mmCIF file of all heavy atoms in Angstrom:
data_model
loop_
_atom_site.group_PDB
_atom_site.id
_atom_site.type_symbol
_atom_site.label_atom_id
_atom_site.label_comp_id
_atom_site.label_asym_id
_atom_site.label_seq_id
_atom_site.Cartn_x
_atom_site.Cartn_y
_atom_site.Cartn_z
ATOM 1 N N LEU E 11 -14.796 -24.534 -19.582
ATOM 2 C CA LEU E 11 -14.283 -24.084 -18.279
ATOM 3 C C LEU E 11 -12.947 -24.758 -17.952
ATOM 4 O O LEU E 11 -12.048 -24.134 -17.398
ATOM 5 C CB LEU E 11 -15.305 -24.369 -17.177
ATOM 6 C CG LEU E 11 -16.555 -23.484 -17.210
ATOM 7 C CD1 LEU E 11 -17.560 -23.955 -16.168
ATOM 8 C CD2 LEU E 11 -16.196 -22.034 -16.991
ATOM 9 N N THR E 12 -12.808 -26.015 -18.305
ATOM 10 C CA THR E 12 -11.560 -26.729 -18.065
ATOM 11 C C THR E 12 -10.422 -26.115 -18.872
ATOM 12 O O THR E 12 -9.327 -25.893 -18.355
ATOM 13 C CB THR E 12 -11.716 -28.225 -18.428
ATOM 14 O OG1 THR E 12 -12.785 -28.778 -17.650
ATOM 15 C CG2 THR E 12 -10.438 -28.990 -18.169
ATOM 16 N N LEU E 13 -10.679 -25.827 -20.141
ATOM 17 C CA LEU E 13 -9.648 -25.204 -20.979
ATOM 18 C C LEU E 13 -9.301 -23.813 -20.490
ATOM 19 O O LEU E 13 -8.128 -23.420 -20.466
ATOM 20 C CB LEU E 13 -10.116 -25.164 -22.437
ATOM 21 C CG LEU E 13 -10.200 -26.518 -23.141
ATOM 22 C CD1 LEU E 13 -10.813 -26.346 -24.520
ATOM 23 C CD2 LEU E 13 -8.840 -27.163 -23.243
ATOM 24 N N PHE E 14 -10.305 -23.053 -20.086
ATOM 25 C CA PHE E 14 -10.074 -21.696 -19.588
ATOM 26 C C PHE E 14 -9.241 -21.740 -18.311
ATOM 27 O O PHE E 14 -8.340 -20.920 -18.124
ATOM 28 C CB PHE E 14 -11.410 -20.995 -19.340
ATOM 29 C CG PHE E 14 -11.258 -19.569 -18.897
ATOM 30 C CD1 PHE E 14 -10.852 -18.591 -19.792
ATOM 31 C CD2 PHE E 14 -11.497 -19.208 -17.587
ATOM 32 C CE1 PHE E 14 -10.701 -17.278 -19.389
ATOM 33 C CE2 PHE E 14 -11.351 -17.900 -17.170
ATOM 34 C CZ PHE E 14 -10.948 -16.932 -18.071
ATOM 35 N N ALA E 15 -9.509 -22.692 -17.448
ATOM 36 C CA ALA E 15 -8.761 -22.813 -16.191
ATOM 37 C C ALA E 15 -7.323 -23.241 -16.432
ATOM 38 O O ALA E 15 -6.436 -22.941 -15.635
ATOM 39 C CB ALA E 15 -9.464 -23.798 -15.265
ATOM 40 N N ALA E 16 -7.066 -23.947 -17.523
ATOM 41 C CA ALA E 16 -5.722 -24.450 -17.799
ATOM 42 C C ALA E 16 -4.823 -23.414 -18.460
ATOM 43 O O ALA E 16 -3.604 -23.597 -18.496
ATOM 44 C CB ALA E 16 -5.808 -25.684 -18.690
ATOM 45 N N ILE E 17 -5.356 -22.328 -18.947
ATOM 46 C CA ILE E 17 -4.555 -21.322 -19.653
ATOM 47 C C ILE E 17 -3.399 -20.800 -18.813
ATOM 48 O O ILE E 17 -2.275 -20.731 -19.305
ATOM 49 C CB ILE E 17 -5.444 -20.177 -20.189
ATOM 50 C CG1 ILE E 17 -6.283 -20.702 -21.349
ATOM 51 C CG2 ILE E 17 -4.606 -18.982 -20.615
ATOM 52 C CD1 ILE E 17 -7.309 -19.727 -21.863
ATOM 53 N N PRO E 18 -3.587 -20.449 -17.540
ATOM 54 C CA PRO E 18 -2.435 -19.977 -16.765
ATOM 55 C C PRO E 18 -1.336 -21.026 -16.626
ATOM 56 O O PRO E 18 -0.165 -20.690 -16.494
ATOM 57 C CB PRO E 18 -3.028 -19.645 -15.390
ATOM 58 C CG PRO E 18 -4.470 -19.411 -15.646
ATOM 59 C CD PRO E 18 -4.826 -20.304 -16.797
ATOM 60 N N LEU E 19 -1.687 -22.296 -16.666
ATOM 61 C CA LEU E 19 -0.680 -23.348 -16.564
ATOM 62 C C LEU E 19 0.193 -23.427 -17.803
ATOM 63 O O LEU E 19 1.301 -23.947 -17.752
ATOM 64 C CB LEU E 19 -1.361 -24.701 -16.323
ATOM 65 C CG LEU E 19 -2.190 -24.802 -15.048
ATOM 66 C CD1 LEU E 19 -2.894 -26.146 -14.989
ATOM 67 C CD2 LEU E 19 -1.331 -24.584 -13.822
ATOM 68 N N LEU E 20 -0.302 -22.912 -18.921
ATOM 69 C CA LEU E 20 0.453 -22.946 -20.168
ATOM 70 C C LEU E 20 1.458 -21.808 -20.270
ATOM 71 O O LEU E 20 2.340 -21.835 -21.117
ATOM 72 C CB LEU E 20 -0.503 -22.913 -21.361
ATOM 73 C CG LEU E 20 -1.500 -24.069 -21.458
ATOM 74 C CD1 LEU E 20 -2.462 -23.834 -22.609
ATOM 75 C CD2 LEU E 20 -0.789 -25.393 -21.602
ATOM 76 N N ALA E 21 1.306 -20.794 -19.433
ATOM 77 C CA ALA E 21 2.211 -19.647 -19.480
ATOM 78 C C ALA E 21 3.605 -20.080 -19.048
ATOM 79 O O ALA E 21 3.775 -20.768 -18.051
ATOM 80 C CB ALA E 21 1.694 -18.533 -18.575
ATOM 81 N N ASP E 22 4.610 -19.692 -19.817
ATOM 82 C CA ASP E 22 5.980 -20.089 -19.526
ATOM 83 C C ASP E 22 6.670 -19.152 -18.553
ATOM 84 O O ASP E 22 7.516 -19.572 -17.778
ATOM 85 C CB ASP E 22 6.803 -20.150 -20.814
ATOM 86 C CG ASP E 22 6.454 -21.337 -21.674
ATOM 87 O OD1 ASP E 22 5.927 -22.320 -21.131
ATOM 88 O OD2 ASP E 22 6.711 -21.278 -22.878
ATOM 89 N N ASP E 23 6.353 -17.870 -18.602
ATOM 90 C CA ASP E 23 7.060 -16.891 -17.785
ATOM 91 C C ASP E 23 6.585 -16.945 -16.342
ATOM 92 O O ASP E 23 5.426 -16.692 -16.051
ATOM 93 C CB ASP E 23 6.855 -15.486 -18.344
ATOM 94 C CG ASP E 23 7.434 -15.334 -19.739
ATOM 95 O OD1 ASP E 23 8.267 -16.170 -20.113
ATOM 96 O OD2 ASP E 23 7.062 -14.390 -20.440
ATOM 97 N N VAL E 24 7.511 -17.269 -15.451
ATOM 98 C CA VAL E 24 7.211 -17.342 -14.029
ATOM 99 C C VAL E 24 8.087 -16.314 -13.316
ATOM 100 O O VAL E 24 9.317 -16.387 -13.400
ATOM 101 C CB VAL E 24 7.509 -18.755 -13.481
ATOM 102 C CG1 VAL E 24 7.259 -18.813 -11.989
ATOM 103 C CG2 VAL E 24 6.695 -19.804 -14.225
#
Side-chain angles (χ1 to χ4, degrees):
L11 289 174
T12 302
L13 291 174
F14 183 72
I17 289 173
L19 299 175
L20 300 175
D22 287 337
D23 297 342
V24 177

